[in-house]
Amino acid sequence: MDEQITLDALACPLPLTHNEQIVLGHGSGGKLSQDLITKLFLPSFDNPILRAGDDAGVIALDAARLAISTDSHVVAPLFFPGGDIGKLAVCGTVNDLAMLGATPRYLTAGFILEEGLDVGILARVIESMRDAAREANVQIVAGDTKVVQRGKADGLYINTAGVGALRDGIHIHGANARPGDVVILSGTIGDHGIAVLSARGDLGFEAQVVSDVAPLNHLVAAMLDTRANIHVMRDPTRGGVATTLNEIAQQSNVGIVLREDALPIQPAVAAACEMLGFDPLYIANEGKLLAIVAREDAENVLRAMRATRYGAEAVLIGEVRAGPRGRVLMKTAIGSTRVVDVLMGELLPRIC
Amino acid sequence: MDEQITLDALACPLPLTHNEQIVLGHGSGGKLSQDLITKLFLPSFDNPILRAGDDAGVIALDAARLAISTDSHVVAPLFFPGGDIGKLAVCGTVNDLAMLGATPRYLTAGFILEEGLDVGILARVIESMRDAAREANVQIVAGDTKVVQRGKADGLYINTAGVGALRDGIHIHGANARPGDVVILSGTIGDHGIAVLSARGDLGFEAQVVSDVAPLNHLVAAMLDTRANIHVMRDPTRGGVATTLNEIAQQSNVGIVLREDALPIQPAVAAACEMLGFDPLYIANEGKLLAIVAREDAENVLRAMRATRYGAEAVLIGEVRAGPRGRVLMKTAIGSTRVVDVLMGELLPRIC
């Protein structure tokens, strides 16, 4: 066999600039896919596991129990005050892992790109993912890119999945709320939903609201370090605080009673909700958590939360009772009691 | 506080029948999302981890090293001879994990649904995922569903991510091919790509070709049980055998030489490729693997493969040489040698 064959003519790297557009070939698995990986993904997400370039990443996790989660992100618009789809995609999965008390360690990222997407937009999203991953101290160790024809997506969709290590002795679950526990909220509600709505131009005015999207794992670590009896943690994303607390009430078969006057809401969010007829209890948050903890540990947990960036405004918003089982009630500012039900329809589509 | 408030009026479960269509509310995180979970996802994917209903699944993996991978699936049409997007989504990630020699254990599933999708179609896809997961002996332990407006997706897209346990002593990577090794292929090539193309009606005739989509982890387990020196394994999906072998040649800095007359191709696939001007070496496979093994172990490995369902037609198709480095050559049936390059453009979009 003749191995003297001239191969140099084949070594013609294709350019990939920010003015370029995504073409179907970027999802082919061939040369253009490799270009995307080597010129966009690898420089931002670089780590030895990803660089190995195999079908899967090899990771080590020195824990007997792991947490695993996934989230797809389809937010429109892709960029909004305080964040973008990339930051959302990283924080969403980081927070889901953290809510079980796990230390998030490794993420995967799956991109669905629309033909014609500006490479510059993708590059900005990737940079944002890199920054969020750095802040959360997680590595993106496996990825995948598909390209669909024009009109078959909305710019780009991102799925992230992730794994985290669970410390021994940590058992935080939605079914663990007990009568007598208190309900803690890490800060103001409704910021993310209203920020995205404002960026869409759907408000009819510009609300000065910035999304709260943030990785909450360091806040959670500070809470766990108190060794308090944290029974439940959950981030009130789609469906908001109301839906999340209803889920917990049902899973734990308890009643939850909120105090309306304790709910922290930014004036601009409250104003936007009033104009639009929205209840902020149902608006999505992307950087807040609800914690249900033993009453005697509440002060300790609140102190630890308030010492962190994303828990500075943590407050006690309610308590857990024996009943009505599976229900959330709210004592309103004027002293009456109303049922806070789960979100029934669709308030704000494409919010995360 | 009055806890005697009547709550029964709220307990009105919404129907979810196969005639129904997906609406934006199914992605709201509220009542309709819960309906999807409890009426479609849970009955099929049921396991204690998923049933816990937390933001993340808690899993145990008794291995010091894990493999982790992800794949998004956007195949059009959703159903094709031999499979559908659901089977593809499960097998894709199972196979990526298996290619490192890992035992796939847990998957996550992220759905992006288009408003207006028939619930019956989603139900069929979910059943298919359940069956594939059973065959592969993996559990789907976390999920997510988003709904985008009509025209912003193509029915549904599925992302899966997964983790698997790596046995001690297994180090299979794309960079491990050595001169003298042989190249083994587990069966016929091009079946998946041609089956999807035929289902699209793009062939202009109906090819009697069935997709090879299958979970390969049991085949891989049989290969590992031989204790042979398996240096590289990879499934030649997008970009086909040609692109996959080029990646390995580059990662290992070796040359790979194929024998054209050794490549197993079904007559119907060969005929379709000839009519369309496609080279089957670039057509996607979804149930085949390439293995690069020490020459002295080849016979053992082939025997083990042929004893399994998905390796029954395994053959030796080439060998690894010192050079030309990073290149794949093919000795053709008429005795000449040609360069087999990586896929340059886009052959078949939306194939997986």
Side-chain angles (χ1 to χ4, degrees), chain B residues 270-327:
Chain B
C273 283
E274 198 162 311
M275 279 195 56
L276 298 164
F278 288 159
D279 184 338
L281 278 173
Y282 294 91
I283 308 276
N285 312 277
E286 291 290 342
K288 296 294 161 16
L289 67 80
L290 289 158
I292 295 186
V293 307
R295 185 179 296 265
E296 62 270 23
D297 290 331
E299 210 172 315
N300 252 342
V301 172
L302 278 168
R303 193 180 309 118
M305 292 175 76
R306 288 175 183 155
T308 71
R309 175 172 177 191
Y310 299 124
E313 296 175 56
V315 285
L316 201 154
I317 62 164
E319 62 184 26
V320 178
R321 298 192 183 177
R325 293 182 186 280
R327 294 293 175 190

Short mmCIF file of all heavy atoms in Angstrom, two decimals, chain B residues 270-327:
data_model
loop_
_atom_site.label_atom_id
_atom_site.label_comp_id
_atom_site.label_asym_id
_atom_site.label_seq_id
_atom_site.Cartn_x
_atom_site.Cartn_y
_atom_site.Cartn_z
N ALA B 270 -26.79 -0.37 0.18
CA ALA B 270 -25.84 -0.10 -0.91
C ALA B 270 -26.57 0.48 -2.12
O ALA B 270 -26.11 1.45 -2.74
CB ALA B 270 -25.10 -1.39 -1.29
N ALA B 271 -27.73 -0.08 -2.43
CA ALA B 271 -28.49 0.38 -3.60
C ALA B 271 -28.96 1.82 -3.40
O ALA B 271 -28.85 2.66 -4.29
CB ALA B 271 -29.69 -0.55 -3.83
N ALA B 272 -29.49 2.10 -2.19
CA ALA B 272 -29.96 3.46 -1.91
C ALA B 272 -28.81 4.45 -1.99
O ALA B 272 -28.94 5.53 -2.56
CB ALA B 272 -30.63 3.51 -0.53
N CYS B 273 -27.67 4.08 -1.43
CA CYS B 273 -26.51 4.97 -1.44
C CYS B 273 -26.05 5.22 -2.88
O CYS B 273 -25.70 6.35 -3.24
CB CYS B 273 -25.36 4.38 -0.63
SG CYS B 273 -25.61 4.55 1.15
N GLU B 274 -26.05 4.18 -3.70
CA GLU B 274 -25.59 4.34 -5.07
C GLU B 274 -26.51 5.29 -5.83
O GLU B 274 -26.06 6.18 -6.55
CB GLU B 274 -25.53 2.98 -5.76
CG GLU B 274 -24.66 3.02 -7.01
CD GLU B 274 -24.24 1.63 -7.45
OE1 GLU B 274 -23.77 0.87 -6.58
OE2 GLU B 274 -24.40 1.32 -8.64
N MET B 275 -27.82 5.11 -5.63
CA MET B 275 -28.79 5.97 -6.32
C MET B 275 -28.65 7.43 -5.92
O MET B 275 -28.82 8.33 -6.73
CB MET B 275 -30.22 5.52 -5.99
CG MET B 275 -30.68 4.35 -6.82
SD MET B 275 -32.47 4.18 -6.67
CE MET B 275 -33.01 5.82 -7.19
N LEU B 276 -28.35 7.65 -4.63
CA LEU B 276 -28.32 9.02 -4.11
C LEU B 276 -26.93 9.64 -4.14
O LEU B 276 -26.75 10.80 -3.83
CB LEU B 276 -28.83 9.01 -2.66
CG LEU B 276 -30.27 8.56 -2.47
CD1 LEU B 276 -30.55 8.21 -1.02
CD2 LEU B 276 -31.23 9.66 -2.94
N GLY B 277 -25.95 8.82 -4.51
CA GLY B 277 -24.58 9.33 -4.53
C GLY B 277 -23.98 9.48 -3.14
O GLY B 277 -23.09 10.30 -2.92
N PHE B 278 -24.49 8.71 -2.18
CA PHE B 278 -23.94 8.75 -0.82
C PHE B 278 -22.89 7.67 -0.65
O PHE B 278 -23.00 6.59 -1.23
CB PHE B 278 -25.04 8.50 0.22
CG PHE B 278 -26.01 9.62 0.39
CD1 PHE B 278 -27.26 9.38 0.93
CD2 PHE B 278 -25.68 10.92 0.02
CE1 PHE B 278 -28.16 10.41 1.11
CE2 PHE B 278 -26.59 11.96 0.18
CZ PHE B 278 -27.83 11.70 0.73
N ASP B 279 -21.92 7.94 0.20
CA ASP B 279 -20.95 6.94 0.58
C ASP B 279 -21.40 6.36 1.93
O ASP B 279 -21.51 7.11 2.91
CB ASP B 279 -19.58 7.60 0.72
CG ASP B 279 -18.49 6.60 1.02
OD1 ASP B 279 -18.81 5.49 1.52
OD2 ASP B 279 -17.31 6.92 0.77
N PRO B 280 -21.68 5.06 1.99
CA PRO B 280 -22.19 4.49 3.26
C PRO B 280 -21.24 4.69 4.44
O PRO B 280 -21.66 4.61 5.59
CB PRO B 280 -22.39 3.00 2.94
CG PRO B 280 -21.73 2.76 1.62
CD PRO B 280 -21.61 4.07 0.91
N LEU B 281 -19.99 4.97 4.15
CA LEU B 281 -19.03 5.22 5.24
C LEU B 281 -19.37 6.48 6.03
O LEU B 281 -18.85 6.69 7.12
CB LEU B 281 -17.61 5.37 4.67
CG LEU B 281 -16.85 4.09 4.38
CD1 LEU B 281 -15.54 4.42 3.67
CD2 LEU B 281 -16.56 3.34 5.68
N TYR B 282 -20.21 7.34 5.46
CA TYR B 282 -20.56 8.59 6.14
C TYR B 282 -21.98 8.60 6.68
O TYR B 282 -22.43 9.59 7.23
CB TYR B 282 -20.38 9.78 5.18
CG TYR B 282 -18.94 9.99 4.79
CD1 TYR B 282 -18.39 9.37 3.67
CD2 TYR B 282 -18.10 10.77 5.58
CE1 TYR B 282 -17.06 9.53 3.33
CE2 TYR B 282 -16.77 10.95 5.26
CZ TYR B 282 -16.25 10.32 4.13
OH TYR B 282 -14.93 10.48 3.82
N ILE B 283 -22.68 7.49 6.51
CA ILE B 283 -24.07 7.42 6.95
C ILE B 283 -24.12 7.02 8.43
O ILE B 283 -23.37 6.17 8.88
CB ILE B 283 -24.86 6.39 6.10
CG1 ILE B 283 -24.69 6.68 4.61
CG2 ILE B 283 -26.33 6.37 6.52
CD1 ILE B 283 -25.61 7.71 4.04
N ALA B 284 -25.04 7.64 9.16
CA ALA B 284 -25.14 7.41 10.60
C ALA B 284 -25.64 6.01 10.93
O ALA B 284 -26.52 5.47 10.26
CB ALA B 284 -26.09 8.43 11.23
N ASN B 285 -25.06 5.45 11.98
CA ASN B 285 -25.50 4.19 12.57
C ASN B 285 -25.90 4.48 14.01
O ASN B 285 -25.33 5.35 14.65
CB ASN B 285 -24.35 3.18 12.56
CG ASN B 285 -23.67 3.13 11.21
OD1 ASN B 285 -24.13 2.44 10.31
ND2 ASN B 285 -22.58 3.89 11.03
N GLU B 286 -26.85 3.72 14.52
CA GLU B 286 -27.25 3.95 15.91
C GLU B 286 -27.24 2.67 16.74
O GLU B 286 -27.71 2.67 17.88
CB GLU B 286 -28.63 4.62 15.97
CG GLU B 286 -28.64 6.06 15.46
CD GLU B 286 -27.92 7.05 16.38
OE1 GLU B 286 -27.69 6.72 17.56
OE2 GLU B 286 -27.58 8.15 15.91
N GLY B 287 -26.71 1.60 16.16
CA GLY B 287 -26.63 0.36 16.92
C GLY B 287 -25.39 -0.43 16.53
O GLY B 287 -25.39 -1.66 16.57
N LYS B 288 -24.34 0.28 16.16
CA LYS B 288 -23.09 -0.37 15.77
C LYS B 288 -21.95 0.23 16.57
O LYS B 288 -22.03 1.38 17.00
CB LYS B 288 -22.83 -0.14 14.27
CG LYS B 288 -23.87 -0.78 13.36
CD LYS B 288 -23.86 -2.29 13.44
CE LYS B 288 -25.12 -2.98 12.95
NZ LYS B 288 -26.06 -2.25 12.15
N LEU B 289 -20.91 -0.56 16.74
CA LEU B 289 -19.72 -0.02 17.38
C LEU B 289 -18.47 -0.42 16.62
O LEU B 289 -18.43 -1.45 15.94
CB LEU B 289 -19.63 -0.44 18.85
CG LEU B 289 -19.39 -1.91 19.22
CD1 LEU B 289 -17.91 -2.29 19.10
CD2 LEU B 289 -19.84 -2.14 20.66
N LEU B 290 -17.47 0.44 16.73
CA LEU B 290 -16.13 0.17 16.24
C LEU B 290 -15.26 -0.11 17.46
O LEU B 290 -15.34 0.61 18.46
CB LEU B 290 -15.57 1.38 15.50
CG LEU B 290 -16.20 1.68 14.14
CD1 LEU B 290 -15.98 3.14 13.75
CD2 LEU B 290 -15.61 0.74 13.07
N ALA B 291 -14.45 -1.17 17.38
CA ALA B 291 -13.53 -1.46 18.48
C ALA B 291 -12.13 -1.61 17.91
O ALA B 291 -11.95 -2.25 16.87
CB ALA B 291 -13.95 -2.73 19.21
N ILE B 292 -11.19 -1.00 18.56
CA ILE B 292 -9.79 -1.15 18.17
C ILE B 292 -9.12 -1.94 19.27
O ILE B 292 -9.08 -1.50 20.43
CB ILE B 292 -9.15 0.22 17.93
CG1 ILE B 292 -9.87 0.86 16.72
CG2 ILE B 292 -7.65 0.09 17.72
CD1 ILE B 292 -9.28 2.15 16.25
N VAL B 293 -8.64 -3.14 18.90
CA VAL B 293 -8.15 -4.07 19.92
C VAL B 293 -6.78 -4.61 19.52
O VAL B 293 -6.39 -4.58 18.34
CB VAL B 293 -9.13 -5.25 20.12
CG1 VAL B 293 -10.54 -4.75 20.40
CG2 VAL B 293 -9.16 -6.16 18.92
N ALA B 294 -6.05 -5.06 20.51
CA ALA B 294 -4.76 -5.69 20.25
C ALA B 294 -4.98 -6.88 19.30
O ALA B 294 -5.93 -7.65 19.47
CB ALA B 294 -4.14 -6.14 21.56
N ARG B 295 -4.07 -7.00 18.31
CA ARG B 295 -4.26 -8.01 17.27
C ARG B 295 -4.43 -9.42 17.85
O ARG B 295 -5.27 -10.20 17.39
CB ARG B 295 -3.05 -7.98 16.31
CG ARG B 295 -3.17 -8.90 15.11
CD ARG B 295 -1.94 -8.77 14.21
NE ARG B 295 -1.83 -7.44 13.64
CZ ARG B 295 -2.29 -7.10 12.42
NH1 ARG B 295 -2.89 -8.01 11.67
NH2 ARG B 295 -2.15 -5.88 11.96
N GLU B 296 -3.66 -9.72 18.89
CA GLU B 296 -3.71 -11.08 19.45
C GLU B 296 -5.04 -11.39 20.13
O GLU B 296 -5.37 -12.56 20.36
CB GLU B 296 -2.54 -11.32 20.42
CG GLU B 296 -2.51 -10.42 21.65
CD GLU B 296 -1.73 -9.12 21.42
OE1 GLU B 296 -1.58 -8.72 20.25
OE2 GLU B 296 -1.29 -8.51 22.42
N ASP B 297 -5.80 -10.33 20.45
CA ASP B 297 -7.09 -10.55 21.11
C ASP B 297 -8.27 -10.54 20.14
O ASP B 297 -9.41 -10.77 20.55
CB ASP B 297 -7.33 -9.46 22.18
CG ASP B 297 -6.39 -9.61 23.37
OD1 ASP B 297 -5.98 -10.76 23.64
OD2 ASP B 297 -6.07 -8.60 24.00
N ALA B 298 -7.98 -10.27 18.87
CA ALA B 298 -9.06 -10.04 17.91
C ALA B 298 -10.03 -11.22 17.84
O ALA B 298 -11.25 -11.06 17.86
CB ALA B 298 -8.48 -9.74 16.53
N GLU B 299 -9.48 -12.42 17.77
CA GLU B 299 -10.32 -13.60 17.59
C GLU B 299 -11.25 -13.79 18.79
O GLU B 299 -12.44 -14.06 18.63
CB GLU B 299 -9.42 -14.83 17.42
CG GLU B 299 -10.04 -15.89 16.55
CD GLU B 299 -9.04 -17.01 16.25
OE1 GLU B 299 -7.87 -16.68 15.92
OE2 GLU B 299 -9.43 -18.17 16.40
N ASN B 300 -10.67 -13.64 19.97
CA ASN B 300 -11.47 -13.73 21.21
C ASN B 300 -12.61 -12.74 21.23
O ASN B 300 -13.74 -13.08 21.59
CB ASN B 300 -10.55 -13.41 22.41
CG ASN B 300 -10.25 -14.64 23.20
OD1 ASN B 300 -10.95 -15.64 23.07
ND2 ASN B 300 -9.21 -14.58 24.02
N VAL B 301 -12.29 -11.51 20.89
CA VAL B 301 -13.29 -10.45 20.94
C VAL B 301 -14.38 -10.72 19.90
O VAL B 301 -15.57 -10.61 20.19
CB VAL B 301 -12.64 -9.07 20.71
CG1 VAL B 301 -13.70 -7.99 20.56
CG2 VAL B 301 -11.69 -8.74 21.87
N LEU B 302 -13.98 -11.08 18.70
CA LEU B 302 -14.96 -11.37 17.65
C LEU B 302 -15.88 -12.51 18.06
O LEU B 302 -17.10 -12.46 17.84
CB LEU B 302 -14.24 -11.72 16.34
CG LEU B 302 -13.77 -10.53 15.51
CD1 LEU B 302 -12.82 -10.99 14.40
CD2 LEU B 302 -14.95 -9.77 14.90
N ARG B 303 -15.31 -13.54 18.68
CA ARG B 303 -16.13 -14.67 19.09
C ARG B 303 -17.16 -14.23 20.12
O ARG B 303 -18.33 -14.58 20.04
CB ARG B 303 -15.24 -15.79 19.65
CG ARG B 303 -15.99 -17.12 19.80
CD ARG B 303 -15.11 -18.24 20.37
NE ARG B 303 -13.85 -18.38 19.66
CZ ARG B 303 -12.64 -18.20 20.20
NH1 ARG B 303 -12.53 -17.88 21.48
NH2 ARG B 303 -11.55 -18.36 19.48
N ALA B 304 -16.71 -13.43 21.09
CA ALA B 304 -17.63 -12.94 22.13
C ALA B 304 -18.72 -12.06 21.52
O ALA B 304 -19.90 -12.15 21.89
CB ALA B 304 -16.86 -12.17 23.19
N MET B 305 -18.34 -11.23 20.57
CA MET B 305 -19.32 -10.33 19.95
C MET B 305 -20.37 -11.12 19.18
O MET B 305 -21.57 -10.86 19.26
CB MET B 305 -18.62 -9.35 19.00
CG MET B 305 -17.74 -8.33 19.71
SD MET B 305 -16.81 -7.27 18.57
CE MET B 305 -18.11 -6.14 18.02
N ARG B 306 -19.89 -12.10 18.42
CA ARG B 306 -20.81 -12.85 17.55
C ARG B 306 -21.81 -13.69 18.34
O ARG B 306 -22.82 -14.12 17.79
CB ARG B 306 -20.00 -13.74 16.60
CG ARG B 306 -19.29 -12.91 15.52
CD ARG B 306 -18.38 -13.75 14.65
NE ARG B 306 -17.68 -12.91 13.68
CZ ARG B 306 -16.51 -13.22 13.11
NH1 ARG B 306 -15.90 -14.37 13.42
NH2 ARG B 306 -15.95 -12.40 12.25
N ALA B 307 -21.51 -13.92 19.62
CA ALA B 307 -22.44 -14.68 20.46
C ALA B 307 -23.57 -13.80 20.98
O ALA B 307 -24.47 -14.28 21.67
CB ALA B 307 -21.68 -15.32 21.63
N THR B 308 -23.53 -12.49 20.68
CA THR B 308 -24.57 -11.58 21.19
C THR B 308 -25.48 -11.13 20.05
O THR B 308 -25.12 -11.21 18.87
CB THR B 308 -23.96 -10.31 21.82
OG1 THR B 308 -23.39 -9.50 20.78
CG2 THR B 308 -22.89 -10.66 22.84
N ARG B 309 -26.65 -10.63 20.45
CA ARG B 309 -27.66 -10.22 19.47
C ARG B 309 -27.16 -9.12 18.53
O ARG B 309 -27.37 -9.18 17.33
CB ARG B 309 -28.90 -9.72 20.22
CG ARG B 309 -29.97 -9.17 19.32
CD ARG B 309 -31.25 -8.88 20.09
NE ARG B 309 -32.23 -8.29 19.20
CZ ARG B 309 -33.36 -7.73 19.59
NH1 ARG B 309 -33.65 -7.73 20.88
NH2 ARG B 309 -34.20 -7.21 18.74
N TYR B 310 -26.51 -8.11 19.11
CA TYR B 310 -26.15 -6.95 18.29
C TYR B 310 -24.72 -7.03 17.75
O TYR B 310 -24.24 -6.08 17.14
CB TYR B 310 -26.35 -5.66 19.09
CG TYR B 310 -27.80 -5.47 19.50
CD1 TYR B 310 -28.15 -5.29 20.84
CD2 TYR B 310 -28.81 -5.48 18.55
CE1 TYR B 310 -29.47 -5.13 21.21
CE2 TYR B 310 -30.14 -5.32 18.91
CZ TYR B 310 -30.47 -5.15 20.25
OH TYR B 310 -31.78 -4.99 20.61
N GLY B 311 -24.06 -8.15 17.99
CA GLY B 311 -22.70 -8.29 17.46
C GLY B 311 -22.57 -9.51 16.57
O GLY B 311 -21.46 -9.92 16.20
N ALA B 312 -23.72 -10.10 16.19
CA ALA B 312 -23.72 -11.38 15.46
C ALA B 312 -22.93 -11.31 14.15
O ALA B 312 -22.36 -12.31 13.71
CB ALA B 312 -25.16 -11.82 15.18
N GLU B 313 -22.89 -10.11 13.54
CA GLU B 313 -22.20 -9.99 12.25
C GLU B 313 -20.90 -9.22 12.36
O GLU B 313 -20.46 -8.55 11.40
CB GLU B 313 -23.14 -9.32 11.25
CG GLU B 313 -24.39 -10.16 10.97
CD GLU B 313 -25.38 -9.42 10.08
OE1 GLU B 313 -24.99 -9.01 8.98
OE2 GLU B 313 -26.53 -9.26 10.50
N ALA B 314 -20.28 -9.27 13.54
CA ALA B 314 -19.04 -8.53 13.75
C ALA B 314 -17.95 -9.02 12.81
O ALA B 314 -17.81 -10.22 12.57
CB ALA B 314 -18.59 -8.68 15.21
N VAL B 315 -17.20 -8.09 12.28
CA VAL B 315 -16.09 -8.43 11.36
C VAL B 315 -14.90 -7.53 11.60
O VAL B 315 -15.01 -6.44 12.15
CB VAL B 315 -16.51 -8.28 9.88
CG1 VAL B 315 -17.41 -9.42 9.44
CG2 VAL B 315 -17.15 -6.93 9.62
N LEU B 316 -13.75 -8.02 11.13
CA LEU B 316 -12.52 -7.25 11.16
C LEU B 316 -12.48 -6.44 9.86
O LEU B 316 -12.62 -7.01 8.77
CB LEU B 316 -11.37 -8.25 11.23
CG LEU B 316 -10.03 -7.78 11.76
CD1 LEU B 316 -9.29 -8.97 12.35
CD2 LEU B 316 -9.24 -7.13 10.66
N ILE B 317 -12.35 -5.13 9.98
CA ILE B 317 -12.41 -4.30 8.76
C ILE B 317 -11.12 -3.56 8.45
O ILE B 317 -11.02 -2.92 7.41
CB ILE B 317 -13.56 -3.28 8.82
CG1 ILE B 317 -13.35 -2.29 9.98
CG2 ILE B 317 -14.92 -3.97 8.91
CD1 ILE B 317 -14.22 -1.04 9.87
N GLY B 318 -10.14 -3.64 9.32
CA GLY B 318 -8.91 -2.90 9.01
C GLY B 318 -7.89 -3.00 10.13
O GLY B 318 -8.05 -3.80 11.05
N GLU B 319 -6.87 -2.17 10.00
CA GLU B 319 -5.81 -2.22 11.00
C GLU B 319 -5.24 -0.83 11.25
O GLU B 319 -5.43 0.11 10.47
CB GLU B 319 -4.70 -3.16 10.53
CG GLU B 319 -4.05 -2.71 9.24
CD GLU B 319 -3.00 -3.70 8.73
OE1 GLU B 319 -3.11 -4.90 9.04
OE2 GLU B 319 -2.08 -3.24 8.04
N VAL B 320 -4.52 -0.73 12.35
CA VAL B 320 -3.90 0.53 12.73
C VAL B 320 -2.43 0.47 12.35
O VAL B 320 -1.77 -0.55 12.55
CB VAL B 320 -4.05 0.76 14.25
CG1 VAL B 320 -3.38 2.06 14.68
CG2 VAL B 320 -5.52 0.76 14.65
N ARG B 321 -1.94 1.56 11.73
CA ARG B 321 -0.53 1.65 11.36
C ARG B 321 0.09 2.90 11.97
O ARG B 321 -0.62 3.78 12.46
CB ARG B 321 -0.39 1.70 9.84
CG ARG B 321 -0.93 0.44 9.18
CD ARG B 321 -0.54 0.39 7.73
NE ARG B 321 -1.12 -0.79 7.09
CZ ARG B 321 -0.99 -1.05 5.80
NH1 ARG B 321 -0.30 -0.24 5.01
NH2 ARG B 321 -1.53 -2.14 5.29
N ALA B 322 1.38 2.98 11.88
CA ALA B 322 2.06 4.15 12.45
C ALA B 322 1.69 5.41 11.68
O ALA B 322 1.65 6.52 12.25
CB ALA B 322 3.57 3.93 12.43
N GLY B 323 1.41 5.24 10.36
CA GLY B 323 1.08 6.43 9.59
C GLY B 323 0.29 6.07 8.36
O GLY B 323 0.04 4.88 8.12
N PRO B 324 -0.17 7.04 7.58
CA PRO B 324 0.00 8.48 7.81
C PRO B 324 -0.79 8.94 9.04
O PRO B 324 -1.97 8.67 9.14
CB PRO B 324 -0.56 9.11 6.54
CG PRO B 324 -1.50 8.10 5.97
CD PRO B 324 -0.97 6.76 6.38
N ARG B 325 -0.09 9.64 9.91
CA ARG B 325 -0.66 10.02 11.20
C ARG B 325 -1.95 10.84 11.05
O ARG B 325 -1.99 11.80 10.29
CB ARG B 325 0.35 10.83 12.01
CG ARG B 325 1.55 10.01 12.42
CD ARG B 325 2.51 10.83 13.27
NE ARG B 325 3.74 10.07 13.55
CZ ARG B 325 3.83 9.14 14.49
NH1 ARG B 325 2.78 8.86 15.24
NH2 ARG B 325 4.97 8.51 14.69
N GLY B 326 -2.95 10.47 11.79
CA GLY B 326 -4.21 11.21 11.80
C GLY B 326 -5.05 10.99 10.56
O GLY B 326 -6.00 11.73 10.33
N ARG B 327 -4.71 9.98 9.76
CA ARG B 327 -5.45 9.77 8.51
C ARG B 327 -6.05 8.38 8.44
O ARG B 327 -5.54 7.42 9.02
CB ARG B 327 -4.50 9.93 7.31
CG ARG B 327 -3.99 11.34 7.14
CD ARG B 327 -5.11 12.29 6.76
NE ARG B 327 -4.64 13.66 6.70
CZ ARG B 327 -5.44 14.71 6.58
NH1 ARG B 327 -6.75 14.55 6.54
NH2 ARG B 327 -4.95 15.92 6.52
#
